[in-house]
Amino acid sequence: METLLETPRLVISYDEANDWLHLLWRGSHNTSDEKTCIMEVLEKIRLTQATRVLNDSTLDENGWSELTHWIANGFMPQVADAGVLAAAWVMPDNLQARIDVHKVLAQVSRPLIDTFLDAEAAYKWLKAEPAAPARVSEGPKD
């Protein structure tokens, strides 16, 4: 895997064997820095012509509250237009960040995105060339 960008909050790597980008979000975010980082993701998608993304936000500590609408309605359509067919989103441990992911996903119609509780499950789903989201339970409900 080749590292394309590394910042304190985001690492973007390209997995040429699988033709996907691997994103690792970490730490706390602020709106201005995050919009710049998110646009770097789009640039790397265009550069590599990746068709899939493994978006690991396990270590995200505060989410993107200010950017959820823009991510869903501005950024994600551009990702799909750039050729991404599917993205596996590993859910953050942080509750606010997890809420923000759900807000984004409630508004996204493309590309195909599914959520996972761990990177291994996300990897397997992407590797299987996903056609529809797998319904992943976040645990037993009483």
Side-chain angles (χ1 to χ4, degrees):
M1 202 160 11
E2 177 187 0
T3 301
L4 303 177
L5 176 76
E6 185 164 358
T7 72
R9 290 179 268 314
L10 173 64
V11 177
I12 303 174
S13 303
Y14 179 61
D15 183 337
E16 186 175 1
N18 289 308
D19 186 33
W20 70 51
L21 283 188
H22 181 264
L23 312 177
L24 176 62
W25 297 94
R26 54 191 179 192
S28 295
H29 310 286
N30 67 59
T31 303
S32 62
D33 288 346
E34 288 322 296
K35 203 165 189 180
T36 300
C37 285
I38 291 168
M39 292 312 292
E40 284 286 338
V41 171
L42 185 58
E43 178 185 314
K44 301 309 184 221
I45 289 168
R46 290 176 175 150
L47 174 73
T48 61
Q49 298 180 353
T51 59
R52 293 171 285 162
V53 175
L54 197 159
N55 187 36
D56 187 345
S57 60
T58 308
L59 302 176
D60 178 356
E61 294 177 358
N62 67 333
W64 303 289
S65 295
E66 309 275 324
L67 295 175
T68 56
H69 180 77
W70 175 80
I71 291 169
N73 298 292
F75 174 70
M76 287 301 189
Q78 291 182 67
V79 167
D81 290 345
V84 172
L85 303 173
W89 198 323
V90 183
M91 296 298 282
D93 293 332
N94 177 276
L95 180 58
Q96 182 57 54
R98 191 174 284 218
I99 290 168
D100 290 345
V101 170
H102 287 294
K103 286 179 183 177
V104 168
L105 296 179
Q107 301 174 63
V108 172
S109 60
R110 64 188 185 103
L112 176 65
I113 302 173
D114 203 357
T115 59
F116 299 87
L117 299 178
D118 62 80
E120 182 179 345
Y123 178 93
K124 288 178 182 178
W125 182 77
L126 277 180
K127 191 83 172 153
E129 301 206 18
R135 296 292 173 191
V136 176
S137 171
E138 292 189 19
K141 305 229 184 327
D142 292 299

